[in-house]
Amino acid sequence: MSEAPTGPLSDLRVVEMGQLLAGPFCGQLLADFGAEVIKLEPPGTGDPMRQWGREKPHGKSLWWPVVARGKKSVTCNLRSAEGQDLARRIIADADIVVENFRPGTMERWGLGFDALREINPRLIMARVTGYGQNGPYAPRAGFGSIGEAMGGIRYVTGNPEMPPSRTGISLGDSLAAVFATIGVLTALHHRENTGRGQLVDSAIYEAVLAMMESLLPEWEIGGYQRERTGSVLPNIAPSNVYPTLGGEMILVAANQDSVFGRLVTAMDRTDLIEDARYRDHEARGKNMTELDDIVGAWTSALDTDTVLDLLHEAGVPAGRIYTARDMFDDPHFAAREAIVRLAHPDFGEIPMANVAPKLSDSPGSVRHAGPELGEHNSDIYGRLLGVTDSDRAALAGRGII
């Protein structure tokens, strides 16, 4: 049975193709705000994300229910002519296609943008790849980690005495998906004015590059190469991780002049304001190590709650370094409903991050956790395309759906 439309994008139909994270996260974001996202998956196996993840209670991925939330799963063998025809029939009445195959794959299947726009001139197609749809590297296999390295963030991440580090999440894939979503929404506005769809080309390395601040002019104009700096920002102090009496670590960011004044007042060290080494932003940056030692000596003599209470009361940005356990216990997370819990057939209930950002008049919502493989075959093939039960059974028997 089809779900009742809800959310600001509920009038949009999205066909999600591809697998793992870069394309599917774009589909997740659109589903969060109400779009009907029809995910086409290979019969029998589905998206490999169904098996991914460090922990797999009951043999089930804990990642799949998150990245596939709010979507409809339809099996379709895109490597067969019959499957390609079924995909075209679904896309004919769709608003958006999202895919993240290697460039040229969709064209080999007769599902490239030029072919699809002939049957649906209003179609918006978001293509998420490692290197983009053109250029000498476009044909290469491109995972998120490689895009992170090429885009510049790997080189500047981690301890300077160690090789470049990853951030602990699939940052490149997720950034490319977010930029693809921005592109889709921009293309929708353009279509509203012109009636025409267009191609959205989101490359992982470019999405990472877009986040690299002033990295490029720093090198070309200033002759400065950013390096790995661990927990600190060069010439920005105090802004670091500091120990507390209980063995915990907190972050304190008090590098701005006025905030530094509030910090040293809370520390009962207003003499530091008049010290030439710490008098202004530039001086504090030059004497970062000594200043961090002073702040660290103060924080390490107090328990975490006492330090944070003093700093928050003084108006100094500071906080714990959260783990998942901290998030579940935090009253601010609870007050803003930052974590949502959904019913799940295997786990009983599964928690995940709620929809972001929050809209005052037309908020998004998480309708359901990731579906079972082919759970919506009857709905999409039957309701949408008029394929009968017997014909669906025949298609399934031939491995098409």
Side-chain angles (χ1 to χ4, degrees), residues 4-14 28-36 95-96 185 188 191-192 355-367:
T6 179
L9 303 183
S10 60
D11 59 332
L12 299 177
R13 177 172 293 149
V14 180
Q28 177 195 322
L29 296 174
L30 295 171
D32 281 351
F33 286 98
E36 180 188 37
D95 296 282
I96 302 155
L185 298 178
L188 283 167
R191 189 180 75 176
E192 184 178 344
V355 178
K358 298 181 183 297
L359 276 62
S360 63
D361 292 344
S362 55
S365 64
V366 185
R367 287 166 284 176

PDB file of all heavy atoms in Angstrom, residues 4-14 28-36 95-96 185 188 191-192 355-367:
ATOM      1  N   ALA A   4       0.734   7.797   2.459  1.00  0.00           N
ATOM      2  CA  ALA A   4       0.164   9.118   2.210  1.00  0.00           C
ATOM      3  C   ALA A   4       1.295  10.135   2.149  1.00  0.00           C
ATOM      4  O   ALA A   4       2.199  10.113   2.978  1.00  0.00           O
ATOM      5  CB  ALA A   4      -0.812   9.479   3.329  1.00  0.00           C
ATOM      6  N   PRO A   5       1.273  11.017   1.118  1.00  0.00           N
ATOM      7  CA  PRO A   5       2.357  11.994   1.014  1.00  0.00           C
ATOM      8  C   PRO A   5       2.391  12.951   2.194  1.00  0.00           C
ATOM      9  O   PRO A   5       1.361  13.388   2.690  1.00  0.00           O
ATOM     10  CB  PRO A   5       2.037  12.741  -0.285  1.00  0.00           C
ATOM     11  CG  PRO A   5       0.668  12.341  -0.696  1.00  0.00           C
ATOM     12  CD  PRO A   5       0.268  11.146   0.097  1.00  0.00           C
ATOM     13  N   THR A   6       3.578  13.238   2.664  1.00  0.00           N
ATOM     14  CA  THR A   6       3.752  14.183   3.759  1.00  0.00           C
ATOM     15  C   THR A   6       5.121  14.826   3.644  1.00  0.00           C
ATOM     16  O   THR A   6       6.071  14.192   3.185  1.00  0.00           O
ATOM     17  CB  THR A   6       3.610  13.476   5.125  1.00  0.00           C
ATOM     18  OG1 THR A   6       3.812  14.423   6.168  1.00  0.00           O
ATOM     19  CG2 THR A   6       4.608  12.351   5.277  1.00  0.00           C
ATOM     20  N   GLY A   7       5.241  16.092   4.029  1.00  0.00           N
ATOM     21  CA  GLY A   7       6.515  16.784   3.965  1.00  0.00           C
ATOM     22  C   GLY A   7       6.589  17.725   2.785  1.00  0.00           C
ATOM     23  O   GLY A   7       5.830  17.604   1.814  1.00  0.00           O
ATOM     24  N   PRO A   8       7.514  18.691   2.824  1.00  0.00           N
ATOM     25  CA  PRO A   8       7.575  19.729   1.795  1.00  0.00           C
ATOM     26  C   PRO A   8       7.953  19.216   0.408  1.00  0.00           C
ATOM     27  O   PRO A   8       7.699  19.895  -0.586  1.00  0.00           O
ATOM     28  CB  PRO A   8       8.634  20.696   2.329  1.00  0.00           C
ATOM     29  CG  PRO A   8       9.453  19.883   3.276  1.00  0.00           C
ATOM     30  CD  PRO A   8       8.508  18.903   3.888  1.00  0.00           C
ATOM     31  N   LEU A   9       8.559  18.013   0.314  1.00  0.00           N
ATOM     32  CA  LEU A   9       8.923  17.464  -0.993  1.00  0.00           C
ATOM     33  C   LEU A   9       8.015  16.304  -1.391  1.00  0.00           C
ATOM     34  O   LEU A   9       8.341  15.525  -2.289  1.00  0.00           O
ATOM     35  CB  LEU A   9      10.383  16.985  -0.980  1.00  0.00           C
ATOM     36  CG  LEU A   9      11.451  18.010  -0.618  1.00  0.00           C
ATOM     37  CD1 LEU A   9      12.851  17.387  -0.724  1.00  0.00           C
ATOM     38  CD2 LEU A   9      11.361  19.241  -1.513  1.00  0.00           C
ATOM     39  N   SER A  10       6.850  16.199  -0.746  1.00  0.00           N
ATOM     40  CA  SER A  10       5.990  15.031  -0.941  1.00  0.00           C
ATOM     41  C   SER A  10       5.382  14.949  -2.339  1.00  0.00           C
ATOM     42  O   SER A  10       4.827  13.913  -2.711  1.00  0.00           O
ATOM     43  CB  SER A  10       4.877  15.014   0.111  1.00  0.00           C
ATOM     44  OG  SER A  10       4.072  16.177   0.010  1.00  0.00           O
ATOM     45  N   ASP A  11       5.480  16.022  -3.117  1.00  0.00           N
ATOM     46  CA  ASP A  11       4.968  15.974  -4.487  1.00  0.00           C
ATOM     47  C   ASP A  11       6.025  15.504  -5.480  1.00  0.00           C
ATOM     48  O   ASP A  11       5.767  15.493  -6.693  1.00  0.00           O
ATOM     49  CB  ASP A  11       4.455  17.358  -4.906  1.00  0.00           C
ATOM     50  CG  ASP A  11       5.538  18.434  -4.847  1.00  0.00           C
ATOM     51  OD1 ASP A  11       6.472  18.289  -4.030  1.00  0.00           O
ATOM     52  OD2 ASP A  11       5.447  19.412  -5.601  1.00  0.00           O
ATOM     53  N   LEU A  12       7.196  15.096  -4.989  1.00  0.00           N
ATOM     54  CA  LEU A  12       8.291  14.697  -5.865  1.00  0.00           C
ATOM     55  C   LEU A  12       8.512  13.195  -5.813  1.00  0.00           C
ATOM     56  O   LEU A  12       8.440  12.572  -4.752  1.00  0.00           O
ATOM     57  CB  LEU A  12       9.584  15.405  -5.454  1.00  0.00           C
ATOM     58  CG  LEU A  12       9.582  16.932  -5.522  1.00  0.00           C
ATOM     59  CD1 LEU A  12      10.910  17.471  -5.004  1.00  0.00           C
ATOM     60  CD2 LEU A  12       9.337  17.417  -6.951  1.00  0.00           C
ATOM     61  N   ARG A  13       8.801  12.636  -6.980  1.00  0.00           N
ATOM     62  CA  ARG A  13       9.159  11.215  -7.060  1.00  0.00           C
ATOM     63  C   ARG A  13      10.626  11.121  -7.469  1.00  0.00           C
ATOM     64  O   ARG A  13      11.052  11.687  -8.473  1.00  0.00           O
ATOM     65  CB  ARG A  13       8.280  10.491  -8.069  1.00  0.00           C
ATOM     66  CG  ARG A  13       8.651   9.011  -8.262  1.00  0.00           C
ATOM     67  CD  ARG A  13       7.626   8.298  -9.119  1.00  0.00           C
ATOM     68  NE  ARG A  13       6.344   8.229  -8.410  1.00  0.00           N
ATOM     69  CZ  ARG A  13       5.158   8.237  -9.012  1.00  0.00           C
ATOM     70  NH1 ARG A  13       5.081   8.351 -10.329  1.00  0.00           N
ATOM     71  NH2 ARG A  13       4.052   8.159  -8.300  1.00  0.00           N
ATOM     72  N   VAL A  14      11.393  10.383  -6.691  1.00  0.00           N
ATOM     73  CA  VAL A  14      12.822  10.202  -6.919  1.00  0.00           C
ATOM     74  C   VAL A  14      13.086   8.733  -7.204  1.00  0.00           C
ATOM     75  O   VAL A  14      12.593   7.855  -6.490  1.00  0.00           O
ATOM     76  CB  VAL A  14      13.648  10.629  -5.681  1.00  0.00           C
ATOM     77  CG1 VAL A  14      15.131  10.431  -5.924  1.00  0.00           C
ATOM     78  CG2 VAL A  14      13.336  12.072  -5.307  1.00  0.00           C
ATOM     79  N   GLN A  28      18.478   9.683   0.829  1.00  0.00           N
ATOM     80  CA  GLN A  28      18.008   9.770   2.217  1.00  0.00           C
ATOM     81  C   GLN A  28      17.579  11.189   2.565  1.00  0.00           C
ATOM     82  O   GLN A  28      16.530  11.406   3.186  1.00  0.00           O
ATOM     83  CB  GLN A  28      19.107   9.324   3.181  1.00  0.00           C
ATOM     84  CG  GLN A  28      18.727   9.460   4.651  1.00  0.00           C
ATOM     85  CD  GLN A  28      19.925   9.359   5.587  1.00  0.00           C
ATOM     86  OE1 GLN A  28      20.831   8.576   5.350  1.00  0.00           O
ATOM     87  NE2 GLN A  28      19.932  10.162   6.649  1.00  0.00           N
ATOM     88  N   LEU A  29      18.386  12.159   2.177  1.00  0.00           N
ATOM     89  CA  LEU A  29      18.069  13.553   2.503  1.00  0.00           C
ATOM     90  C   LEU A  29      16.769  13.991   1.840  1.00  0.00           C
ATOM     91  O   LEU A  29      15.948  14.702   2.457  1.00  0.00           O
ATOM     92  CB  LEU A  29      19.217  14.460   2.066  1.00  0.00           C
ATOM     93  CG  LEU A  29      20.557  14.237   2.785  1.00  0.00           C
ATOM     94  CD1 LEU A  29      21.645  15.102   2.167  1.00  0.00           C
ATOM     95  CD2 LEU A  29      20.434  14.512   4.274  1.00  0.00           C
ATOM     96  N   LEU A  30      16.539  13.571   0.609  1.00  0.00           N
ATOM     97  CA  LEU A  30      15.301  13.924  -0.081  1.00  0.00           C
ATOM     98  C   LEU A  30      14.103  13.209   0.555  1.00  0.00           C
ATOM     99  O   LEU A  30      13.032  13.802   0.709  1.00  0.00           O
ATOM    100  CB  LEU A  30      15.418  13.575  -1.561  1.00  0.00           C
ATOM    101  CG  LEU A  30      16.474  14.374  -2.342  1.00  0.00           C
ATOM    102  CD1 LEU A  30      16.661  13.787  -3.736  1.00  0.00           C
ATOM    103  CD2 LEU A  30      16.097  15.851  -2.428  1.00  0.00           C
ATOM    104  N   ALA A  31      14.299  11.945   0.948  1.00  0.00           N
ATOM    105  CA  ALA A  31      13.225  11.203   1.612  1.00  0.00           C
ATOM    106  C   ALA A  31      12.865  11.823   2.954  1.00  0.00           C
ATOM    107  O   ALA A  31      11.697  11.845   3.355  1.00  0.00           O
ATOM    108  CB  ALA A  31      13.628   9.742   1.802  1.00  0.00           C
ATOM    109  N   ASP A  32      13.883  12.338   3.666  1.00  0.00           N
ATOM    110  CA  ASP A  32      13.636  12.953   4.972  1.00  0.00           C
ATOM    111  C   ASP A  32      12.633  14.096   4.879  1.00  0.00           C
ATOM    112  O   ASP A  32      11.914  14.381   5.848  1.00  0.00           O
ATOM    113  CB  ASP A  32      14.947  13.487   5.563  1.00  0.00           C
ATOM    114  CG  ASP A  32      15.806  12.401   6.186  1.00  0.00           C
ATOM    115  OD1 ASP A  32      15.336  11.251   6.317  1.00  0.00           O
ATOM    116  OD2 ASP A  32      16.963  12.699   6.539  1.00  0.00           O
ATOM    117  N   PHE A  33      12.597  14.772   3.738  1.00  0.00           N
ATOM    118  CA  PHE A  33      11.674  15.891   3.586  1.00  0.00           C
ATOM    119  C   PHE A  33      10.469  15.524   2.719  1.00  0.00           C
ATOM    120  O   PHE A  33       9.802  16.405   2.174  1.00  0.00           O
ATOM    121  CB  PHE A  33      12.411  17.114   3.050  1.00  0.00           C
ATOM    122  CG  PHE A  33      13.277  17.753   4.102  1.00  0.00           C
ATOM    123  CD1 PHE A  33      14.631  17.485   4.157  1.00  0.00           C
ATOM    124  CD2 PHE A  33      12.725  18.589   5.065  1.00  0.00           C
ATOM    125  CE1 PHE A  33      15.430  18.042   5.152  1.00  0.00           C
ATOM    126  CE2 PHE A  33      13.511  19.143   6.065  1.00  0.00           C
ATOM    127  CZ  PHE A  33      14.866  18.874   6.106  1.00  0.00           C
ATOM    128  N   GLY A  34      10.191  14.219   2.630  1.00  0.00           N
ATOM    129  CA  GLY A  34       8.904  13.789   2.106  1.00  0.00           C
ATOM    130  C   GLY A  34       8.879  13.246   0.705  1.00  0.00           C
ATOM    131  O   GLY A  34       7.839  12.758   0.255  1.00  0.00           O
ATOM    132  N   ALA A  35       9.987  13.332  -0.045  1.00  0.00           N
ATOM    133  CA  ALA A  35       9.971  12.819  -1.412  1.00  0.00           C
ATOM    134  C   ALA A  35       9.716  11.311  -1.412  1.00  0.00           C
ATOM    135  O   ALA A  35      10.153  10.587  -0.520  1.00  0.00           O
ATOM    136  CB  ALA A  35      11.297  13.122  -2.106  1.00  0.00           C
ATOM    137  N   GLU A  36       8.980  10.840  -2.424  1.00  0.00           N
ATOM    138  CA  GLU A  36       8.821   9.402  -2.617  1.00  0.00           C
ATOM    139  C   GLU A  36      10.083   8.904  -3.306  1.00  0.00           C
ATOM    140  O   GLU A  36      10.313   9.194  -4.488  1.00  0.00           O
ATOM    141  CB  GLU A  36       7.589   9.097  -3.479  1.00  0.00           C
ATOM    142  CG  GLU A  36       7.396   7.606  -3.709  1.00  0.00           C
ATOM    143  CD  GLU A  36       6.293   7.288  -4.712  1.00  0.00           C
ATOM    144  OE1 GLU A  36       6.149   8.039  -5.707  1.00  0.00           O
ATOM    145  OE2 GLU A  36       5.592   6.277  -4.513  1.00  0.00           O
ATOM    146  N   ASP A  95      10.493  12.780 -11.083  1.00  0.00           N
ATOM    147  CA  ASP A  95      11.056  14.130 -11.091  1.00  0.00           C
ATOM    148  C   ASP A  95      12.576  14.114 -11.079  1.00  0.00           C
ATOM    149  O   ASP A  95      13.225  14.972 -11.680  1.00  0.00           O
ATOM    150  CB  ASP A  95      10.561  14.902  -9.860  1.00  0.00           C
ATOM    151  CG  ASP A  95       9.063  15.119  -9.884  1.00  0.00           C
ATOM    152  OD1 ASP A  95       8.610  16.003 -10.614  1.00  0.00           O
ATOM    153  OD2 ASP A  95       8.358  14.381  -9.167  1.00  0.00           O
ATOM    154  N   ILE A  96      13.141  13.137 -10.363  1.00  0.00           N
ATOM    155  CA  ILE A  96      14.576  13.123 -10.106  1.00  0.00           C
ATOM    156  C   ILE A  96      15.097  11.698 -10.213  1.00  0.00           C
ATOM    157  O   ILE A  96      14.449  10.746  -9.748  1.00  0.00           O
ATOM    158  CB  ILE A  96      14.876  13.675  -8.680  1.00  0.00           C
ATOM    159  CG1 ILE A  96      14.333  15.091  -8.525  1.00  0.00           C
ATOM    160  CG2 ILE A  96      16.368  13.619  -8.363  1.00  0.00           C
ATOM    161  CD1 ILE A  96      14.035  15.478  -7.091  1.00  0.00           C
ATOM    162  N   LEU A 185      17.904  20.590  -5.528  1.00  0.00           N
ATOM    163  CA  LEU A 185      16.933  21.600  -5.102  1.00  0.00           C
ATOM    164  C   LEU A 185      17.077  22.880  -5.939  1.00  0.00           C
ATOM    165  O   LEU A 185      16.080  23.542  -6.257  1.00  0.00           O
ATOM    166  CB  LEU A 185      17.116  21.898  -3.615  1.00  0.00           C
ATOM    167  CG  LEU A 185      16.877  20.702  -2.681  1.00  0.00           C
ATOM    168  CD1 LEU A 185      17.140  21.085  -1.234  1.00  0.00           C
ATOM    169  CD2 LEU A 185      15.445  20.168  -2.827  1.00  0.00           C
ATOM    170  N   LEU A 188      15.501  22.146  -9.251  1.00  0.00           N
ATOM    171  CA  LEU A 188      14.037  22.188  -9.135  1.00  0.00           C
ATOM    172  C   LEU A 188      13.521  23.616  -9.253  1.00  0.00           C
ATOM    173  O   LEU A 188      12.496  23.876  -9.899  1.00  0.00           O
ATOM    174  CB  LEU A 188      13.591  21.574  -7.804  1.00  0.00           C
ATOM    175  CG  LEU A 188      13.616  20.046  -7.729  1.00  0.00           C
ATOM    176  CD1 LEU A 188      13.462  19.593  -6.274  1.00  0.00           C
ATOM    177  CD2 LEU A 188      12.490  19.449  -8.583  1.00  0.00           C
ATOM    178  N   ARG A 191      13.737  24.545 -12.830  1.00  0.00           N
ATOM    179  CA  ARG A 191      12.672  23.901 -13.599  1.00  0.00           C
ATOM    180  C   ARG A 191      11.335  24.596 -13.404  1.00  0.00           C
ATOM    181  O   ARG A 191      10.533  24.695 -14.331  1.00  0.00           O
ATOM    182  CB  ARG A 191      12.563  22.431 -13.189  1.00  0.00           C
ATOM    183  CG  ARG A 191      11.636  21.615 -14.087  1.00  0.00           C
ATOM    184  CD  ARG A 191      11.554  20.183 -13.654  1.00  0.00           C
ATOM    185  NE  ARG A 191      10.730  20.014 -12.466  1.00  0.00           N
ATOM    186  CZ  ARG A 191      10.438  18.824 -11.934  1.00  0.00           C
ATOM    187  NH1 ARG A 191      10.959  17.722 -12.471  1.00  0.00           N
ATOM    188  NH2 ARG A 191       9.691  18.736 -10.864  1.00  0.00           N
ATOM    189  N   GLU A 192      11.107  25.094 -12.197  1.00  0.00           N
ATOM    190  CA  GLU A 192       9.859  25.816 -11.925  1.00  0.00           C
ATOM    191  C   GLU A 192       9.751  27.055 -12.816  1.00  0.00           C
ATOM    192  O   GLU A 192       8.660  27.429 -13.250  1.00  0.00           O
ATOM    193  CB  GLU A 192       9.814  26.220 -10.445  1.00  0.00           C
ATOM    194  CG  GLU A 192       8.531  26.899 -10.023  1.00  0.00           C
ATOM    195  CD  GLU A 192       8.527  27.239  -8.546  1.00  0.00           C
ATOM    196  OE1 GLU A 192       9.365  26.695  -7.796  1.00  0.00           O
ATOM    197  OE2 GLU A 192       7.684  28.063  -8.143  1.00  0.00           O
ATOM    198  N   VAL A 355      15.956  14.326  11.402  1.00  0.00           N
ATOM    199  CA  VAL A 355      16.123  15.128  10.190  1.00  0.00           C
ATOM    200  C   VAL A 355      16.756  16.478  10.522  1.00  0.00           C
ATOM    201  O   VAL A 355      16.418  17.115  11.519  1.00  0.00           O
ATOM    202  CB  VAL A 355      14.749  15.364   9.525  1.00  0.00           C
ATOM    203  CG1 VAL A 355      14.895  16.235   8.283  1.00  0.00           C
ATOM    204  CG2 VAL A 355      14.108  14.030   9.164  1.00  0.00           C
ATOM    205  N   ALA A 356      17.688  16.898   9.683  1.00  0.00           N
ATOM    206  CA  ALA A 356      18.302  18.223   9.802  1.00  0.00           C
ATOM    207  C   ALA A 356      18.368  18.833   8.402  1.00  0.00           C
ATOM    208  O   ALA A 356      18.581  18.109   7.425  1.00  0.00           O
ATOM    209  CB  ALA A 356      19.704  18.115  10.407  1.00  0.00           C
ATOM    210  N   PRO A 357      18.185  20.138   8.274  1.00  0.00           N
ATOM    211  CA  PRO A 357      17.876  21.111   9.329  1.00  0.00           C
ATOM    212  C   PRO A 357      16.397  21.087   9.691  1.00  0.00           C
ATOM    213  O   PRO A 357      15.585  20.440   9.022  1.00  0.00           O
ATOM    214  CB  PRO A 357      18.254  22.444   8.670  1.00  0.00           C
ATOM    215  CG  PRO A 357      17.937  22.218   7.218  1.00  0.00           C
ATOM    216  CD  PRO A 357      18.312  20.798   6.947  1.00  0.00           C
ATOM    217  N   LYS A 358      16.055  21.823  10.744  1.00  0.00           N
ATOM    218  CA  LYS A 358      14.672  21.920  11.197  1.00  0.00           C
ATOM    219  C   LYS A 358      13.987  23.085  10.496  1.00  0.00           C
ATOM    220  O   LYS A 358      14.490  24.197  10.506  1.00  0.00           O
ATOM    221  CB  LYS A 358      14.616  22.110  12.712  1.00  0.00           C
ATOM    222  CG  LYS A 358      15.217  20.948  13.495  1.00  0.00           C
ATOM    223  CD  LYS A 358      15.109  21.175  14.988  1.00  0.00           C
ATOM    224  CE  LYS A 358      15.772  20.040  15.766  1.00  0.00           C
ATOM    225  NZ  LYS A 358      15.133  18.740  15.544  1.00  0.00           N
ATOM    226  N   LEU A 359      12.836  22.823   9.887  1.00  0.00           N
ATOM    227  CA  LEU A 359      12.032  23.858   9.243  1.00  0.00           C
ATOM    228  C   LEU A 359      10.841  24.187  10.123  1.00  0.00           C
ATOM    229  O   LEU A 359      10.184  23.277  10.643  1.00  0.00           O
ATOM    230  CB  LEU A 359      11.560  23.403   7.864  1.00  0.00           C
ATOM    231  CG  LEU A 359      12.535  23.598   6.687  1.00  0.00           C
ATOM    232  CD1 LEU A 359      13.818  22.803   6.889  1.00  0.00           C
ATOM    233  CD2 LEU A 359      11.877  23.225   5.369  1.00  0.00           C
ATOM    234  N   SER A 360      10.541  25.468  10.278  1.00  0.00           N
ATOM    235  CA  SER A 360       9.479  25.873  11.203  1.00  0.00           C
ATOM    236  C   SER A 360       8.091  25.511  10.696  1.00  0.00           C
ATOM    237  O   SER A 360       7.227  25.114  11.484  1.00  0.00           O
ATOM    238  CB  SER A 360       9.557  27.382  11.468  1.00  0.00           C
ATOM    239  OG  SER A 360       9.347  28.105  10.263  1.00  0.00           O
ATOM    240  N   ASP A 361       7.840  25.631   9.400  1.00  0.00           N
ATOM    241  CA  ASP A 361       6.491  25.429   8.873  1.00  0.00           C
ATOM    242  C   ASP A 361       6.323  24.118   8.119  1.00  0.00           C
ATOM    243  O   ASP A 361       5.194  23.631   7.994  1.00  0.00           O
ATOM    244  CB  ASP A 361       6.113  26.585   7.936  1.00  0.00           C
ATOM    245  CG  ASP A 361       5.951  27.903   8.679  1.00  0.00           C
ATOM    246  OD1 ASP A 361       5.824  27.868   9.928  1.00  0.00           O
ATOM    247  OD2 ASP A 361       5.957  28.959   8.029  1.00  0.00           O
ATOM    248  N   SER A 362       7.393  23.559   7.600  1.00  0.00           N
ATOM    249  CA  SER A 362       7.259  22.314   6.820  1.00  0.00           C
ATOM    250  C   SER A 362       8.413  21.374   7.148  1.00  0.00           C
ATOM    251  O   SER A 362       9.247  21.072   6.296  1.00  0.00           O
ATOM    252  CB  SER A 362       7.233  22.625   5.319  1.00  0.00           C
ATOM    253  OG  SER A 362       8.385  23.371   4.944  1.00  0.00           O
ATOM    254  N   PRO A 363       8.463  20.924   8.393  1.00  0.00           N
ATOM    255  CA  PRO A 363       9.590  20.081   8.800  1.00  0.00           C
ATOM    256  C   PRO A 363       9.575  18.717   8.121  1.00  0.00           C
ATOM    257  O   PRO A 363       8.522  18.222   7.701  1.00  0.00           O
ATOM    258  CB  PRO A 363       9.381  19.941  10.309  1.00  0.00           C
ATOM    259  CG  PRO A 363       7.907  20.103  10.494  1.00  0.00           C
ATOM    260  CD  PRO A 363       7.490  21.113   9.475  1.00  0.00           C
ATOM    261  N   GLY A 364      10.761  18.128   8.030  1.00  0.00           N
ATOM    262  CA  GLY A 364      10.857  16.766   7.541  1.00  0.00           C
ATOM    263  C   GLY A 364      10.580  15.775   8.657  1.00  0.00           C
ATOM    264  O   GLY A 364      10.382  16.148   9.816  1.00  0.00           O
ATOM    265  N   SER A 365      10.567  14.504   8.293  1.00  0.00           N
ATOM    266  CA  SER A 365      10.353  13.451   9.290  1.00  0.00           C
ATOM    267  C   SER A 365      10.900  12.143   8.745  1.00  0.00           C
ATOM    268  O   SER A 365      11.011  11.958   7.530  1.00  0.00           O
ATOM    269  CB  SER A 365       8.857  13.294   9.610  1.00  0.00           C
ATOM    270  OG  SER A 365       8.140  12.860   8.453  1.00  0.00           O
ATOM    271  N   VAL A 366      11.239  11.255   9.660  1.00  0.00           N
ATOM    272  CA  VAL A 366      11.693   9.922   9.264  1.00  0.00           C
ATOM    273  C   VAL A 366      10.490   8.997   9.330  1.00  0.00           C
ATOM    274  O   VAL A 366       9.979   8.709  10.407  1.00  0.00           O
ATOM    275  CB  VAL A 366      12.817   9.422  10.189  1.00  0.00           C
ATOM    276  CG1 VAL A 366      13.350   8.088   9.673  1.00  0.00           C
ATOM    277  CG2 VAL A 366      13.953  10.438  10.263  1.00  0.00           C
ATOM    278  N   ARG A 367      10.050   8.544   8.168  1.00  0.00           N
ATOM    279  CA  ARG A 367       8.810   7.771   8.116  1.00  0.00           C
ATOM    280  C   ARG A 367       8.984   6.324   8.554  1.00  0.00           C
ATOM    281  O   ARG A 367       8.133   5.764   9.229  1.00  0.00           O
ATOM    282  CB  ARG A 367       8.244   7.828   6.690  1.00  0.00           C
ATOM    283  CG  ARG A 367       7.648   9.179   6.345  1.00  0.00           C
ATOM    284  CD  ARG A 367       7.404   9.317   4.851  1.00  0.00           C
ATOM    285  NE  ARG A 367       8.648   9.563   4.128  1.00  0.00           N
ATOM    286  CZ  ARG A 367       8.724   9.643   2.802  1.00  0.00           C
ATOM    287  NH1 ARG A 367       7.635   9.464   2.077  1.00  0.00           N
ATOM    288  NH2 ARG A 367       9.882   9.897   2.210  1.00  0.00           N
TER     289      ARG A 367
END
